[in-house]
Amino acid sequence: MPHRVVDFFRSPNDSIHSIKASVQRRSNPNSRSASRERPSRHSSTSSIHEATAAEHTHNLVHSTAPSVKMADPTKEKHKDVHTHHRLSFPSLHLGSSKSAKEQAQNPNASLDWKIESPPVVMHGDTENSTGALVSGQLLLDVKEDNFEVESFEAKLEVHVIQKRPYTGHCQNCTNQTTELKSWTLLSEPTILSKRTHEFPFSILLEGHLPASTDNAVLAIQYDFTAEVRPRVGPVIKLAKNIDVKRSLPVPELPHHSVRIFPPTNIAASVHYTQVVHPISTNTFTLRLDGIVKHNPDAKSVEYWKLKRLSWKIEENMETVAPACEKHSPKDPETGLPAKKGAKRSDARTIAHADMHGGWKSDYSPTGCIEMEIQCQLAPSAKAICDMKSADGTEVTHQLVVEMVVVQEYAPTAHPKHVTPTGVARILRMHFGVVLTERAGLGVSWDNEAPPIYQDVPPSPPSYSCSIPYESMESVEELNLNMNNPGLNRRSREGAREQSPPYEERPQSRTRDPEERPSST
């Protein structure tokens, strides 16, 4: 750009026509040769003056100073034009791009699964639970005949993702996987026909395994992956997640707890449900006793009045983020990486409420304060169920109740003349609650299984039989004896002898109509 300004102000005697012609030459490089061959009539005089002035200047410079090569403005202009290149990416086509998942699909076959077992729910705690059964089928849909498969494998893993790893930006510190079971469905090359092939699989998840969770500290998920390697074409893969839950039994009666707050005589009695569910409404009752105190010497009565009550449910999460082999310190004695981890914890409130009324107050000599409070867990809270695993991960919940009471007194003769004493206290209580999934209509798998041979009760009692089967040597002899009336009669007589005795009642003889009366 600077050389263009210099060209514009180089000769003040240039006419407007020469300026226009120079601008046109710069805009259209193909017209430079034509403009040079046909100079304009108006600019001829000025060009002559320019040539004379340039020659005089050239002679003066050569006589006073050594020759200096001047830069050609046309070359600079061409250099400036060629230095600015347009960037192009011929391999980048945003409109017709396809994801890697679509490009990796095999057109000759597809893989899917079908779970036949009920939802995976572990009943009971980690110490007493018998686990849960998972069974299903892998469906390999072959779309052409003579489809050759080299191998077919599947596996189930527990994947733990640390949200706050031991070392940031380290994949090994962030992800830990443990393989639970693997299946080799096809171990050698096999030719499959055009249809849907079914491959069953099953596994018993042990009761000590943690349930699936996703919180601010870590995430636990069960990854099921299957891989089919055909002879021709890309590998067929299937990746699914199994949602594992845990359900604890709910007691029939609410839990009862009593708290005493010295130096006062206030005693709090609370009935609450110890096991709650993530989306539910639970009720607990509270009763305060000892709120009235008589002073016979001062002839006054002291009252504790409840001004405010607040409750909340807190969620506490703890885990240990392990270090990988690369970042774990080495043992000075053995030189091997030592197991080391960093403790991670987080706490939040999933439900809370403040109350300034809604309770019954009785300030008689044996008075008390009673109330019934509803705790509601909203779905937006996304509460995490209680869990405890062997790697140090633990999720717990507690119910916190806080009350503000103010002391007042009144003369015994005038109980309505109440005067505040300026004394106030904060009463705080903590109750452990367990947050668990609903069991629904399902039961543990060991209760659904049929009885085994050792559990079958004894057979029913045997009955006496008149036919001597033990003495018969063959079936033909049995048929012959059945056809022999004498044997049947003897068998009936033997059976009659073995039958219990009974009394024969006399029966009146009925007269046959064909019988003729006898003559006397």
Side-chain angles (χ1 to χ4, degrees):
M1 290 298 293
H3 67 274
R4 296 184 181 180
V5 178
V6 172
D7 293 342
F8 183 80
F9 292 99
R10 181 170 294 171
S11 178
N13 298 326
D14 289 346
S15 62
I16 189 64
H17 299 284
S18 61
I19 295 174
K20 288 182 178 180
S22 62
V23 172
Q24 291 177 359
R25 284 196 304 270
R26 295 191 187 96
S27 61
N28 189 6
N30 297 328
S31 62
R32 292 178 182 176
S33 59
S35 62
R36 291 174 183 174
E37 293 176 359
R38 299 188 300 271
S40 61
R41 184 184 61 181
H42 300 280
S43 61
S44 60
T45 306
S46 60
S47 61
I48 293 173
H49 288 289
E50 289 178 1
T52 306
E55 185 178 359
H56 177 69
T57 305
H58 178 72
N59 296 332
L60 182 63
V61 169
H62 276 275
S63 61
T64 58
S67 60
V68 179
K69 188 176 180 180
M70 303 296 293
D72 191 358
T74 58
K75 293 183 179 180
E76 291 182 0
K77 179 175 66 175
H78 286 291
K79 183 179 179 180
D80 183 71
V81 171
H82 289 290
T83 53
H84 298 282
H85 297 282
R86 182 178 180 182
L87 299 178
S88 62
F89 301 92
S91 61
L92 182 61
H93 302 284
L94 299 177
S96 60
S97 63
K98 294 183 180 179
S99 62
K101 183 178 179 180
E102 295 179 356
Q103 294 177 359
Q105 288 183 353
N106 195 314
N108 301 325
S110 61
L111 185 60
D112 199 359
W113 76 338
K114 180 177 66 174
I115 297 296
E116 299 176 345
S117 57
V120 185
V121 179
M122 297 182 181
H123 297 269
D125 54 5
T126 56
E127 298 178 357
N128 302 322
S129 177
T130 57
L133 281 173
V134 180
S135 61
Q137 292 183 357
L138 287 171
L139 307 177
L140 180 59
D141 186 12
V142 179
K143 302 177 182 178
E144 64 173 10
D145 292 330
N146 300 328
F147 182 72
E148 187 173 356
V149 177
E150 295 183 354
S151 63
F152 187 8
E153 298 178 350
K155 63 180 179 179
L156 179 63
E157 296 178 333
V158 180
H159 187 192
V160 180
I161 304 174
Q162 298 288 341
K163 301 293 184 65
R164 303 173 187 174
Y166 184 83
T167 303
H169 307 289
C170 178
Q171 294 296 328
N172 295 330
C173 291
T174 304
N175 300 275
Q176 295 92 34
T177 58
T178 303
E179 183 176 326
L180 298 178
K181 190 175 181 180
S182 60
W183 297 268
T184 302
L185 304 175
L186 293 177
S187 58
E188 55 186 18
T190 307
I191 298 177
L192 303 178
S193 60
K194 182 181 178 181
R195 66 181 182 89
T196 301
H197 300 266
E198 299 176 352
F199 299 88
F201 67 92
S202 63
I203 183 177
L204 174 61
L205 299 178
E206 299 180 1
H208 65 85
L209 293 175
S212 301
T213 182
D214 188 3
N215 51 53
V217 178
L218 83 166
I220 301 176
Q221 58 188 16
Y222 290 78
D223 296 337
F224 180 86
T225 57
E227 187 176 290
V228 179
R229 293 186 175 274
R231 183 177 181 183
V232 179
V235 179
I236 305 172
K237 296 182 179 181
L238 177 69
K240 297 289 185 178
N241 292 333
I242 299 178
D243 189 14
V244 180
K245 299 180 180 180
R246 183 178 297 277
S247 177
L248 300 177
V250 180
E252 298 180 357
L253 299 177
H255 188 74
H256 182 213
S257 179
V258 178
R259 299 286 191 274
I260 300 176
F261 303 95
T264 65
N265 297 327
I266 301 176
S269 176
V270 183
H271 292 79
Y272 67 97
T273 304
Q274 199 170 8
V275 179
V276 298
H277 302 293
I279 304 176
S280 62
T281 301
N282 304 279
T283 303
F284 71 92
T285 59
L286 175 63
R287 177 189 173 98
L288 295 179
D289 295 319
I291 60 174
V292 180
K293 181 181 179 182
H294 290 268
N295 295 325
D297 297 337
K299 297 182 180 181
S300 64
V301 182
E302 295 180 358
Y303 305 97
W304 289 100
K305 291 189 176 180
L306 181 62
K307 294 297 182 180
R308 184 176 66 90
L309 183 142
S310 62
W311 63 267
K312 61 181 178 180
I313 298 180
E314 294 180 349
E315 185 177 86
N316 301 314
M317 295 165 283
E318 293 182 359
T319 187
V320 177
C324 64
E325 296 182 359
K326 179 180 178 181
H327 297 99
S328 59
K330 295 184 179 180
D331 191 356
E333 297 180 357
T334 61
L336 299 176
K339 293 184 179 180
K340 187 177 181 181
K343 187 176 180 181
R344 302 287 187 262
S345 60
D346 188 75
R348 62 170 185 155
T349 301
I350 58 177
H352 67 93
D354 293 334
M355 302 175 60
H356 298 274
W359 49 77
K360 299 179 181 179
S361 302
D362 181 14
Y363 294 104
S364 61
T366 58
C368 63
I369 299 176
E370 295 179 347
M371 69 191 72
E372 185 175 314
I373 305 170
Q374 290 185 350
C375 300
Q376 184 176 4
L377 294 177
S380 59
K382 296 181 180 180
I384 308 299
C385 294
D386 281 44
M387 63 172 297
K388 186 177 182 180
S389 59
D391 60 353
T393 303
E394 186 176 5
V395 180
T396 57
H397 297 82
Q398 64 176 355
L399 173 64
V400 181
V401 180
E402 186 176 285
M403 298 171 288
V404 177
V405 292
V406 178
Q407 189 182 37
E408 298 178 353
Y409 77 96
T412 306
H414 305 281
K416 294 184 178 180
H417 297 172
V418 179
T419 304
T421 61
V423 178
R425 294 188 179 275
I426 298 177
L427 311 180
R428 186 179 291 108
M429 298 178 291
H430 300 262
F431 306 100
V433 295
V434 178
L435 192 67
T436 182
E437 295 285 350
R438 298 180 184 271
L441 300 178
V443 295
S444 181
W445 68 272
D446 52 344
N447 295 331
E448 293 181 350
I452 59 179
Y453 291 104
Q454 289 82 354
D455 298 337
V456 176
S459 59
S462 59
Y463 296 91
S464 61
C465 183
S466 60
I467 302 175
Y469 291 102
E470 298 179 354
S471 62
M472 301 298 175
E473 297 181 355
S474 62
V475 180
E476 297 178 354
E477 185 179 356
L478 178 61
N479 294 335
L480 293 175
N481 293 334
M482 292 296 295
N483 296 330
N484 189 354
L487 180 61
N488 294 339
R489 184 172 59 256
R490 287 194 301 269
S491 300
R492 287 193 297 269
E493 291 177 357
R496 187 179 299 113
E497 291 177 358
Q498 294 178 2
S499 61
Y502 63 92
E503 297 180 358
E504 295 184 358
R505 296 181 181 180
Q507 299 180 358
S508 60
R509 184 166 179 256
T510 58
R511 182 178 178 181
D512 192 355
E514 296 182 357
E515 185 179 358
R516 296 180 181 179
S518 59
S519 57
T520 54

